[in-house]
Short mmCIF file of all heavy atoms in Angstrom, two decimals:
data_model
loop_
_atom_site.label_atom_id
_atom_site.label_comp_id
_atom_site.label_asym_id
_atom_site.label_seq_id
_atom_site.Cartn_x
_atom_site.Cartn_y
_atom_site.Cartn_z
N SER X 1 31.39 66.18 -118.69
CA SER X 1 30.17 66.87 -119.03
C SER X 1 30.43 68.26 -119.60
O SER X 1 29.67 69.17 -119.37
CB SER X 1 29.24 66.90 -117.83
OG SER X 1 29.86 67.55 -116.76
N ASN X 2 31.51 68.48 -120.28
CA ASN X 2 31.79 69.71 -121.03
C ASN X 2 31.69 70.99 -120.21
O ASN X 2 31.00 71.94 -120.59
CB ASN X 2 30.88 69.80 -122.25
CG ASN X 2 31.07 68.63 -123.18
OD1 ASN X 2 32.19 68.15 -123.35
ND2 ASN X 2 30.00 68.15 -123.77
N ILE X 3 32.37 71.03 -119.08
CA ILE X 3 32.39 72.22 -118.23
C ILE X 3 33.17 73.32 -118.95
O ILE X 3 34.27 73.10 -119.43
CB ILE X 3 33.04 71.90 -116.87
CG1 ILE X 3 32.25 70.82 -116.13
CG2 ILE X 3 33.17 73.17 -116.02
CD1 ILE X 3 30.82 71.18 -115.84
N CYS X 4 32.57 74.51 -119.04
CA CYS X 4 33.25 75.61 -119.74
C CYS X 4 33.54 76.80 -118.83
O CYS X 4 34.34 77.65 -119.20
CB CYS X 4 32.45 76.04 -120.96
SG CYS X 4 30.79 76.61 -120.64
N GLN X 5 32.90 76.87 -117.64
CA GLN X 5 33.17 77.95 -116.70
C GLN X 5 33.10 77.41 -115.28
O GLN X 5 32.27 76.55 -114.99
CB GLN X 5 32.15 79.08 -116.84
CG GLN X 5 32.17 79.79 -118.16
CD GLN X 5 31.11 80.87 -118.23
OE1 GLN X 5 30.42 81.16 -117.27
NE2 GLN X 5 30.96 81.46 -119.40
N ILE X 6 33.98 77.92 -114.43
CA ILE X 6 33.97 77.55 -113.02
C ILE X 6 34.03 78.84 -112.19
O ILE X 6 34.81 79.74 -112.49
CB ILE X 6 35.15 76.64 -112.65
CG1 ILE X 6 35.01 75.32 -113.38
CG2 ILE X 6 35.24 76.42 -111.15
CD1 ILE X 6 36.14 74.35 -113.15
N TYR X 7 33.17 78.91 -111.18
CA TYR X 7 33.15 80.04 -110.26
C TYR X 7 33.42 79.51 -108.86
O TYR X 7 32.78 78.56 -108.44
CB TYR X 7 31.79 80.73 -110.30
CG TYR X 7 31.43 81.26 -111.66
CD1 TYR X 7 30.74 80.46 -112.57
CD2 TYR X 7 31.82 82.53 -112.05
CE1 TYR X 7 30.42 80.94 -113.83
CE2 TYR X 7 31.51 83.01 -113.31
CZ TYR X 7 30.81 82.21 -114.20
OH TYR X 7 30.50 82.68 -115.44
N CYS X 8 34.35 80.13 -108.16
CA CYS X 8 34.72 79.68 -106.82
C CYS X 8 34.58 80.81 -105.83
O CYS X 8 34.97 81.94 -106.11
CB CYS X 8 36.16 79.18 -106.81
SG CYS X 8 36.44 77.81 -107.93
N GLY X 9 34.03 80.47 -104.69
CA GLY X 9 33.92 81.42 -103.60
C GLY X 9 34.60 80.85 -102.37
O GLY X 9 35.24 79.80 -102.43
N GLU X 10 34.45 81.53 -101.26
CA GLU X 10 35.09 81.07 -100.03
C GLU X 10 34.46 79.78 -99.53
O GLU X 10 35.15 78.91 -99.00
CB GLU X 10 34.98 82.16 -98.97
CG GLU X 10 35.79 81.88 -97.74
CD GLU X 10 35.83 83.05 -96.80
OE1 GLU X 10 35.35 84.15 -97.14
OE2 GLU X 10 36.36 82.87 -95.68
N TYR X 11 33.14 79.62 -99.71
CA TYR X 11 32.44 78.45 -99.17
C TYR X 11 31.74 77.59 -100.20
O TYR X 11 31.15 76.57 -99.86
CB TYR X 11 31.41 78.90 -98.13
CG TYR X 11 32.02 79.61 -96.96
CD1 TYR X 11 31.92 80.99 -96.82
CD2 TYR X 11 32.73 78.90 -96.00
CE1 TYR X 11 32.50 81.64 -95.75
CE2 TYR X 11 33.31 79.54 -94.91
CZ TYR X 11 33.18 80.92 -94.79
OH TYR X 11 33.75 81.55 -93.73
N SER X 12 31.72 78.00 -101.46
CA SER X 12 31.01 77.23 -102.47
C SER X 12 31.65 77.42 -103.84
O SER X 12 32.37 78.38 -104.07
CB SER X 12 29.54 77.67 -102.52
OG SER X 12 29.46 79.06 -102.77
N SER X 13 31.36 76.47 -104.73
CA SER X 13 31.86 76.52 -106.10
C SER X 13 30.75 76.12 -107.05
O SER X 13 29.87 75.33 -106.71
CB SER X 13 33.04 75.56 -106.26
OG SER X 13 34.10 75.93 -105.41
N PHE X 14 30.82 76.66 -108.26
CA PHE X 14 29.82 76.40 -109.28
C PHE X 14 30.52 76.12 -110.60
O PHE X 14 31.54 76.73 -110.92
CB PHE X 14 28.90 77.61 -109.46
CG PHE X 14 28.14 77.97 -108.23
CD1 PHE X 14 28.69 78.79 -107.26
CD2 PHE X 14 26.86 77.47 -108.03
CE1 PHE X 14 27.99 79.11 -106.11
CE2 PHE X 14 26.15 77.79 -106.88
CZ PHE X 14 26.71 78.61 -105.92
N ALA X 15 29.97 75.19 -111.38
CA ALA X 15 30.49 74.89 -112.71
C ALA X 15 29.34 74.98 -113.70
O ALA X 15 28.23 74.53 -113.43
CB ALA X 15 31.10 73.49 -112.72
N VAL X 16 29.60 75.59 -114.85
CA VAL X 16 28.60 75.74 -115.91
C VAL X 16 29.07 74.94 -117.11
O VAL X 16 30.23 75.07 -117.53
CB VAL X 16 28.43 77.23 -116.30
CG1 VAL X 16 27.37 77.39 -117.37
CG2 VAL X 16 28.10 78.06 -115.07
N ASP X 17 28.18 74.11 -117.65
CA ASP X 17 28.57 73.34 -118.84
C ASP X 17 28.18 74.10 -120.11
O ASP X 17 27.60 75.18 -120.05
CB ASP X 17 28.00 71.91 -118.81
CG ASP X 17 26.50 71.83 -118.94
OD1 ASP X 17 25.86 72.82 -119.38
OD2 ASP X 17 25.94 70.78 -118.61
N ASN X 18 28.54 73.53 -121.26
CA ASN X 18 28.32 74.23 -122.52
C ASN X 18 26.84 74.37 -122.88
O ASN X 18 26.50 75.10 -123.81
CB ASN X 18 29.09 73.55 -123.65
CG ASN X 18 28.65 72.12 -123.87
OD1 ASN X 18 28.04 71.51 -123.00
ND2 ASN X 18 28.98 71.58 -125.02
N LEU X 19 25.94 73.70 -122.16
CA LEU X 19 24.50 73.85 -122.39
C LEU X 19 23.86 74.83 -121.41
O LEU X 19 22.66 75.07 -121.46
CB LEU X 19 23.81 72.49 -122.27
CG LEU X 19 24.24 71.44 -123.28
CD1 LEU X 19 23.54 70.12 -123.01
CD2 LEU X 19 23.94 71.92 -124.70
N GLY X 20 24.65 75.37 -120.48
CA GLY X 20 24.14 76.32 -119.50
C GLY X 20 23.68 75.70 -118.21
O GLY X 20 23.20 76.40 -117.33
N ASP X 21 23.78 74.37 -118.08
CA ASP X 21 23.41 73.73 -116.82
C ASP X 21 24.46 74.04 -115.76
O ASP X 21 25.66 74.07 -116.05
CB ASP X 21 23.27 72.22 -116.99
CG ASP X 21 22.05 71.85 -117.82
OD1 ASP X 21 21.04 72.57 -117.74
OD2 ASP X 21 22.12 70.85 -118.55
N ILE X 22 24.01 74.28 -114.53
CA ILE X 22 24.89 74.68 -113.44
C ILE X 22 24.94 73.57 -112.40
O ILE X 22 23.91 73.01 -112.03
CB ILE X 22 24.38 75.98 -112.79
CG1 ILE X 22 24.24 77.08 -113.83
CG2 ILE X 22 25.31 76.40 -111.65
CD1 ILE X 22 23.48 78.29 -113.32
N ARG X 23 26.14 73.29 -111.94
CA ARG X 23 26.33 72.33 -110.84
C ARG X 23 27.07 73.06 -109.73
O ARG X 23 27.87 73.94 -109.98
CB ARG X 23 27.10 71.12 -111.32
CG ARG X 23 26.24 70.26 -112.23
CD ARG X 23 26.94 69.08 -112.82
NE ARG X 23 26.03 68.19 -113.50
CZ ARG X 23 25.31 68.48 -114.57
NH1 ARG X 23 25.35 69.67 -115.08
NH2 ARG X 23 24.52 67.58 -115.14
N ALA X 24 26.78 72.67 -108.48
CA ALA X 24 27.36 73.36 -107.33
C ALA X 24 27.79 72.37 -106.27
O ALA X 24 27.27 71.27 -106.18
CB ALA X 24 26.34 74.33 -106.74
N TRP X 25 28.77 72.79 -105.46
CA TRP X 25 29.21 72.00 -104.31
C TRP X 25 29.81 72.96 -103.29
O TRP X 25 30.15 74.08 -103.61
CB TRP X 25 30.21 70.91 -104.71
CG TRP X 25 31.48 71.43 -105.32
CD1 TRP X 25 32.67 71.63 -104.67
CD2 TRP X 25 31.70 71.81 -106.68
NE1 TRP X 25 33.61 72.13 -105.56
CE2 TRP X 25 33.04 72.24 -106.80
CE3 TRP X 25 30.90 71.85 -107.82
CZ2 TRP X 25 33.59 72.69 -108.00
CZ3 TRP X 25 31.45 72.29 -109.01
CH2 TRP X 25 32.77 72.70 -109.09
N GLY X 26 29.85 72.53 -102.05
CA GLY X 26 30.38 73.36 -100.97
C GLY X 26 29.37 73.47 -99.84
O GLY X 26 28.62 72.54 -99.57
N CYS X 27 29.32 74.63 -99.20
CA CYS X 27 28.42 74.87 -98.07
C CYS X 27 27.00 75.09 -98.58
O CYS X 27 26.75 75.97 -99.39
CB CYS X 27 28.90 76.08 -97.28
SG CYS X 27 27.84 76.44 -95.87
N ASN X 28 26.06 74.27 -98.09
CA ASN X 28 24.67 74.35 -98.53
C ASN X 28 23.74 74.78 -97.40
O ASN X 28 22.55 74.48 -97.42
CB ASN X 28 24.23 73.00 -99.09
CG ASN X 28 22.93 73.10 -99.86
OD1 ASN X 28 22.71 74.05 -100.58
ND2 ASN X 28 22.08 72.11 -99.70
N LYS X 29 24.25 75.51 -96.43
CA LYS X 29 23.41 75.96 -95.32
C LYS X 29 22.23 76.77 -95.86
O LYS X 29 22.41 77.65 -96.70
CB LYS X 29 24.23 76.80 -94.35
CG LYS X 29 23.47 77.19 -93.11
CD LYS X 29 24.36 77.90 -92.13
CE LYS X 29 23.58 78.24 -90.87
NZ LYS X 29 24.40 78.96 -89.91
N ASN X 30 21.02 76.44 -95.42
CA ASN X 30 19.78 77.10 -95.87
C ASN X 30 19.59 77.00 -97.39
O ASN X 30 19.07 77.92 -98.01
CB ASN X 30 19.75 78.56 -95.42
CG ASN X 30 19.75 78.70 -93.93
OD1 ASN X 30 19.11 77.92 -93.23
ND2 ASN X 30 20.48 79.67 -93.42
N ASN X 31 20.06 75.90 -97.99
CA ASN X 31 19.95 75.65 -99.43
C ASN X 31 20.64 76.75 -100.25
O ASN X 31 20.18 77.13 -101.33
CB ASN X 31 18.49 75.50 -99.86
CG ASN X 31 18.36 74.93 -101.26
OD1 ASN X 31 19.22 74.17 -101.73
ND2 ASN X 31 17.30 75.29 -101.95
N ALA X 32 21.76 77.26 -99.77
CA ALA X 32 22.48 78.33 -100.46
C ALA X 32 22.92 77.93 -101.86
O ALA X 32 23.07 78.78 -102.73
CB ALA X 32 23.70 78.74 -99.63
N LEU X 33 23.14 76.64 -102.09
CA LEU X 33 23.57 76.18 -103.42
C LEU X 33 22.41 75.94 -104.38
O LEU X 33 22.62 75.68 -105.55
CB LEU X 33 24.38 74.88 -103.30
CG LEU X 33 25.65 74.96 -102.47
CD1 LEU X 33 26.30 73.59 -102.37
CD2 LEU X 33 26.62 75.98 -103.06
N LEU X 34 21.18 76.02 -103.87
CA LEU X 34 19.98 75.74 -104.67
C LEU X 34 20.00 74.33 -105.25
O LEU X 34 19.59 74.09 -106.38
CB LEU X 34 19.82 76.78 -105.80
CG LEU X 34 19.70 78.23 -105.35
CD1 LEU X 34 19.72 79.15 -106.56
CD2 LEU X 34 18.45 78.46 -104.54
N THR X 35 20.47 73.37 -104.46
CA THR X 35 20.58 71.99 -104.94
C THR X 35 19.52 71.07 -104.36
O THR X 35 19.43 69.91 -104.77
CB THR X 35 21.96 71.39 -104.60
OG1 THR X 35 22.15 71.47 -103.19
CG2 THR X 35 23.07 72.13 -105.32
N ASN X 36 18.71 71.54 -103.41
CA ASN X 36 17.70 70.67 -102.81
C ASN X 36 16.66 70.27 -103.84
O ASN X 36 16.21 71.10 -104.63
CB ASN X 36 17.03 71.35 -101.62
CG ASN X 36 17.96 71.47 -100.44
OD1 ASN X 36 19.01 70.86 -100.41
ND2 ASN X 36 17.57 72.26 -99.47
N ALA X 37 16.31 69.00 -103.85
CA ALA X 37 15.29 68.48 -104.76
C ALA X 37 14.41 67.51 -103.99
O ALA X 37 14.90 66.77 -103.14
CB ALA X 37 15.96 67.76 -105.92
N PRO X 38 13.10 67.50 -104.28
CA PRO X 38 12.21 66.60 -103.55
C PRO X 38 12.64 65.14 -103.62
O PRO X 38 12.50 64.40 -102.65
CB PRO X 38 10.86 66.80 -104.24
CG PRO X 38 10.95 68.15 -104.83
CD PRO X 38 12.39 68.34 -105.21
N SER X 39 13.22 64.72 -104.73
CA SER X 39 13.63 63.31 -104.87
C SER X 39 14.78 62.95 -103.94
O SER X 39 14.93 61.80 -103.56
CB SER X 39 14.03 63.03 -106.32
OG SER X 39 15.14 63.82 -106.68
N ARG X 40 15.61 63.93 -103.56
CA ARG X 40 16.74 63.67 -102.68
C ARG X 40 16.47 64.13 -101.26
O ARG X 40 17.23 63.83 -100.36
CB ARG X 40 17.99 64.39 -103.19
CG ARG X 40 18.63 63.77 -104.39
CD ARG X 40 20.03 64.32 -104.60
NE ARG X 40 20.08 65.76 -104.68
CZ ARG X 40 20.03 66.47 -105.80
NH1 ARG X 40 19.90 65.86 -106.94
NH2 ARG X 40 20.10 67.77 -105.78
N GLY X 41 15.42 64.94 -101.07
CA GLY X 41 15.16 65.50 -99.76
C GLY X 41 16.10 66.66 -99.50
O GLY X 41 16.71 67.20 -100.40
N ILE X 42 16.22 67.01 -98.25
CA ILE X 42 17.09 68.13 -97.87
C ILE X 42 18.53 67.66 -97.87
O ILE X 42 18.87 66.66 -97.24
CB ILE X 42 16.71 68.66 -96.47
CG1 ILE X 42 15.25 69.11 -96.45
CG2 ILE X 42 17.63 69.78 -96.03
CD1 ILE X 42 14.93 70.25 -97.39
N GLU X 43 19.37 68.37 -98.59
CA GLU X 43 20.79 68.05 -98.64
C GLU X 43 21.46 68.39 -97.31
O GLU X 43 21.00 69.27 -96.59
CB GLU X 43 21.49 68.84 -99.75
CG GLU X 43 21.05 68.49 -101.13
CD GLU X 43 21.80 67.32 -101.71
OE1 GLU X 43 22.60 66.68 -100.99
OE2 GLU X 43 21.57 67.02 -102.87
N GLU X 44 22.54 67.75 -97.04
CA GLU X 44 23.33 68.07 -95.87
C GLU X 44 23.95 69.47 -96.03
O GLU X 44 23.90 70.05 -97.10
CB GLU X 44 24.40 67.01 -95.64
CG GLU X 44 25.34 66.83 -96.81
CD GLU X 44 24.80 65.91 -97.92
OE1 GLU X 44 23.79 65.23 -97.74
OE2 GLU X 44 25.42 65.92 -98.99
N ASN X 45 24.51 69.98 -94.94
CA ASN X 45 25.12 71.31 -95.01
C ASN X 45 26.34 71.38 -95.91
O ASN X 45 26.64 72.42 -96.45
CB ASN X 45 25.49 71.80 -93.61
CG ASN X 45 24.30 72.36 -92.86
OD1 ASN X 45 23.29 72.71 -93.46
ND2 ASN X 45 24.41 72.43 -91.56
N ILE X 46 27.06 70.28 -96.05
CA ILE X 46 28.22 70.26 -96.94
C ILE X 46 27.93 69.30 -98.09
O ILE X 46 27.67 68.12 -97.88
CB ILE X 46 29.50 69.80 -96.21
CG1 ILE X 46 29.81 70.73 -95.04
CG2 ILE X 46 30.67 69.70 -97.17
CD1 ILE X 46 30.12 72.15 -95.42
N VAL X 47 27.95 69.82 -99.31
CA VAL X 47 27.74 69.00 -100.50
C VAL X 47 29.11 68.74 -101.10
O VAL X 47 29.78 69.66 -101.57
CB VAL X 47 26.82 69.72 -101.51
CG1 VAL X 47 26.69 68.92 -102.80
CG2 VAL X 47 25.46 69.97 -100.89
N SER X 48 29.56 67.48 -101.07
CA SER X 48 30.92 67.16 -101.52
C SER X 48 30.98 66.74 -102.99
O SER X 48 32.06 66.76 -103.58
CB SER X 48 31.52 66.07 -100.64
OG SER X 48 30.70 64.93 -100.67
N GLU X 49 29.85 66.39 -103.58
CA GLU X 49 29.81 66.05 -105.00
C GLU X 49 29.00 67.11 -105.73
O GLU X 49 28.01 67.62 -105.21
CB GLU X 49 29.14 64.70 -105.21
CG GLU X 49 29.88 63.54 -104.61
CD GLU X 49 29.14 62.23 -104.84
OE1 GLU X 49 28.24 62.18 -105.70
OE2 GLU X 49 29.46 61.26 -104.15
N ALA X 50 29.40 67.44 -106.94
CA ALA X 50 28.67 68.45 -107.73
C ALA X 50 27.23 68.01 -107.94
O ALA X 50 26.97 66.89 -108.35
CB ALA X 50 29.37 68.66 -109.06
N ARG X 51 26.28 68.89 -107.61
CA ARG X 51 24.85 68.61 -107.76
C ARG X 51 24.25 69.64 -108.72
O ARG X 51 24.64 70.81 -108.72
CB ARG X 51 24.13 68.73 -106.42
CG ARG X 51 24.64 67.81 -105.37
CD ARG X 51 23.84 66.55 -105.38
NE ARG X 51 24.18 65.78 -104.18
CZ ARG X 51 24.24 64.48 -104.18
NH1 ARG X 51 23.98 63.82 -105.27
NH2 ARG X 51 24.56 63.85 -103.08
N LEU X 52 23.26 69.22 -109.48
CA LEU X 52 22.57 70.11 -110.40
C LEU X 52 21.82 71.18 -109.61
O LEU X 52 21.12 70.88 -108.64
CB LEU X 52 21.59 69.32 -111.26
CG LEU X 52 20.94 70.07 -112.40
CD1 LEU X 52 21.99 70.58 -113.39
CD2 LEU X 52 19.94 69.19 -113.11
N VAL X 53 21.98 72.43 -110.01
CA VAL X 53 21.33 73.56 -109.36
C VAL X 53 19.90 73.65 -109.86
O VAL X 53 19.64 73.55 -111.06
CB VAL X 53 22.09 74.87 -109.66
CG1 VAL X 53 21.31 76.09 -109.20
CG2 VAL X 53 23.46 74.84 -109.02
N LYS X 54 18.96 73.83 -108.94
CA LYS X 54 17.54 74.02 -109.26
C LYS X 54 17.24 75.51 -109.15
O LYS X 54 17.03 76.02 -108.06
CB LYS X 54 16.64 73.23 -108.31
CG LYS X 54 16.94 71.76 -108.26
CD LYS X 54 16.56 71.11 -109.57
CE LYS X 54 16.76 69.61 -109.47
NZ LYS X 54 16.66 68.94 -110.74
N LEU X 55 17.23 76.22 -110.27
CA LEU X 55 17.04 77.66 -110.24
C LEU X 55 15.60 78.01 -109.88
O LEU X 55 14.67 77.32 -110.29
CB LEU X 55 17.37 78.27 -111.60
CG LEU X 55 18.84 78.19 -111.99
CD1 LEU X 55 19.03 78.69 -113.41
CD2 LEU X 55 19.70 78.99 -111.03
N PRO X 56 15.40 79.12 -109.14
CA PRO X 56 14.05 79.57 -108.81
C PRO X 56 13.28 79.98 -110.07
O PRO X 56 13.88 80.25 -111.11
CB PRO X 56 14.30 80.79 -107.91
CG PRO X 56 15.70 80.68 -107.46
CD PRO X 56 16.44 79.93 -108.52
N ASP X 57 11.96 80.07 -109.95
CA ASP X 57 11.12 80.41 -111.09
C ASP X 57 11.43 81.77 -111.68
O ASP X 57 11.16 82.01 -112.85
CB ASP X 57 9.65 80.35 -110.70
CG ASP X 57 9.19 78.93 -110.44
OD1 ASP X 57 9.85 77.99 -110.93
OD2 ASP X 57 8.17 78.77 -109.74
N TYR X 58 11.96 82.71 -110.90
CA TYR X 58 12.21 84.04 -111.45
C TYR X 58 13.43 84.08 -112.37
O TYR X 58 13.69 85.09 -113.00
CB TYR X 58 12.33 85.10 -110.34
CG TYR X 58 13.35 84.83 -109.28
CD1 TYR X 58 14.69 85.12 -109.49
CD2 TYR X 58 12.97 84.30 -108.05
CE1 TYR X 58 15.63 84.88 -108.50
CE2 TYR X 58 13.89 84.08 -107.06
CZ TYR X 58 15.22 84.36 -107.29
OH TYR X 58 16.14 84.13 -106.31
N PHE X 59 14.17 82.99 -112.49
CA PHE X 59 15.21 82.89 -113.50
C PHE X 59 14.56 82.42 -114.79
O PHE X 59 13.76 81.50 -114.79
CB PHE X 59 16.30 81.89 -113.10
CG PHE X 59 17.29 82.46 -112.14
CD1 PHE X 59 17.02 82.50 -110.78
CD2 PHE X 59 18.51 82.93 -112.58
CE1 PHE X 59 17.93 83.02 -109.89
CE2 PHE X 59 19.43 83.44 -111.70
CZ PHE X 59 19.14 83.49 -110.35
N VAL X 60 14.91 83.04 -115.89
CA VAL X 60 14.34 82.68 -117.19
C VAL X 60 15.40 81.96 -117.99
O VAL X 60 16.54 82.40 -118.07
CB VAL X 60 13.90 83.96 -117.95
CG1 VAL X 60 13.37 83.60 -119.33
CG2 VAL X 60 12.85 84.71 -117.15
N ARG X 61 15.02 80.82 -118.57
CA ARG X 61 15.96 80.06 -119.39
C ARG X 61 15.75 80.47 -120.83
O ARG X 61 14.69 80.30 -121.40
CB ARG X 61 15.73 78.57 -119.20
CG ARG X 61 16.88 77.75 -119.63
CD ARG X 61 16.87 76.45 -118.80
NE ARG X 61 17.98 75.63 -119.19
CZ ARG X 61 19.11 75.57 -118.52
NH1 ARG X 61 19.27 76.27 -117.44
NH2 ARG X 61 20.07 74.80 -118.93
N SER X 62 16.79 81.05 -121.44
CA SER X 62 16.70 81.55 -122.80
C SER X 62 17.93 81.11 -123.58
O SER X 62 19.06 81.37 -123.18
CB SER X 62 16.62 83.07 -122.76
OG SER X 62 16.72 83.62 -124.04
N ASN X 63 17.72 80.45 -124.72
CA ASN X 63 18.83 79.97 -125.54
C ASN X 63 19.82 79.15 -124.74
O ASN X 63 21.03 79.28 -124.86
CB ASN X 63 19.54 81.13 -126.23
CG ASN X 63 18.65 81.84 -127.21
OD1 ASN X 63 17.80 81.23 -127.84
ND2 ASN X 63 18.83 83.14 -127.35
N ARG X 64 19.28 78.30 -123.84
CA ARG X 64 20.09 77.43 -122.99
C ARG X 64 21.06 78.20 -122.10
O ARG X 64 22.09 77.70 -121.69
CB ARG X 64 20.84 76.39 -123.81
CG ARG X 64 19.98 75.44 -124.58
CD ARG X 64 19.22 74.49 -123.69
NE ARG X 64 20.12 73.60 -123.00
CZ ARG X 64 19.79 72.90 -121.96
NH1 ARG X 64 18.59 72.97 -121.47
NH2 ARG X 64 20.65 72.10 -121.38
N THR X 65 20.76 79.46 -121.81
CA THR X 65 21.56 80.27 -120.91
C THR X 65 20.65 80.82 -119.82
O THR X 65 19.55 81.26 -120.10
CB THR X 65 22.22 81.45 -121.65
OG1 THR X 65 23.00 80.93 -122.73
CG2 THR X 65 23.11 82.24 -120.72
N ASN X 66 21.10 80.80 -118.59
CA ASN X 66 20.30 81.29 -117.47
C ASN X 66 20.49 82.80 -117.32
O ASN X 66 21.60 83.27 -117.19
CB ASN X 66 20.72 80.59 -116.18
CG ASN X 66 20.51 79.11 -116.28
OD1 ASN X 66 19.47 78.67 -116.75
ND2 ASN X 66 21.48 78.33 -115.88
N VAL X 67 19.38 83.52 -117.40
CA VAL X 67 19.43 84.98 -117.26
C VAL X 67 18.38 85.42 -116.27
O VAL X 67 17.38 84.76 -116.08
CB VAL X 67 19.21 85.70 -118.61
CG1 VAL X 67 20.30 85.36 -119.59
CG2 VAL X 67 17.86 85.35 -119.19
N VAL X 68 18.61 86.56 -115.65
CA VAL X 68 17.62 87.16 -114.75
C VAL X 68 17.06 88.37 -115.48
O VAL X 68 17.81 89.25 -115.90
CB VAL X 68 18.27 87.60 -113.43
CG1 VAL X 68 17.25 88.29 -112.55
CG2 VAL X 68 18.89 86.41 -112.73
N PRO X 69 15.73 88.44 -115.67
CA PRO X 69 15.16 89.60 -116.35
C PRO X 69 15.33 90.87 -115.52
O PRO X 69 15.21 90.84 -114.31
CB PRO X 69 13.69 89.24 -116.52
CG PRO X 69 13.43 88.19 -115.50
CD PRO X 69 14.73 87.48 -115.24
N ASN X 70 15.64 91.95 -116.17
CA ASN X 70 15.79 93.23 -115.51
C ASN X 70 14.52 94.02 -115.73
O ASN X 70 14.25 94.52 -116.80
CB ASN X 70 17.00 93.99 -116.07
CG ASN X 70 17.27 95.27 -115.31
OD1 ASN X 70 16.48 95.67 -114.46
ND2 ASN X 70 18.38 95.90 -115.61
N ASN X 71 13.68 94.13 -114.70
CA ASN X 71 12.39 94.80 -114.80
C ASN X 71 12.43 96.23 -114.29
O ASN X 71 11.41 96.78 -113.92
CB ASN X 71 11.32 94.01 -114.03
CG ASN X 71 11.12 92.64 -114.62
OD1 ASN X 71 11.23 92.48 -115.83
ND2 ASN X 71 10.85 91.66 -113.80
N GLN X 72 13.58 96.84 -114.26
CA GLN X 72 13.67 98.21 -113.72
C GLN X 72 13.66 99.23 -114.82
O GLN X 72 14.06 99.12 -115.88
CB GLN X 72 14.94 98.36 -112.88
CG GLN X 72 14.90 97.47 -111.69
CD GLN X 72 16.17 97.57 -110.85
OE1 GLN X 72 17.15 98.16 -111.26
NE2 GLN X 72 16.14 96.99 -109.67
#
């Protein structure tokens, strides 16, 4: 799926593809990975397969890149 960037932390990892879609795996305590979806229900605490990240509404999708508006 054309992964172009990978971010790794102590408990979670994220991959970004060339279209800006983000996938995550690792510790999902309290939905930390933002992978919970109504169709799948609540994910377990450990996500072992990369899941599509569901960004909150305050993230703006622009030119297929995820950005956070700076309102300060």
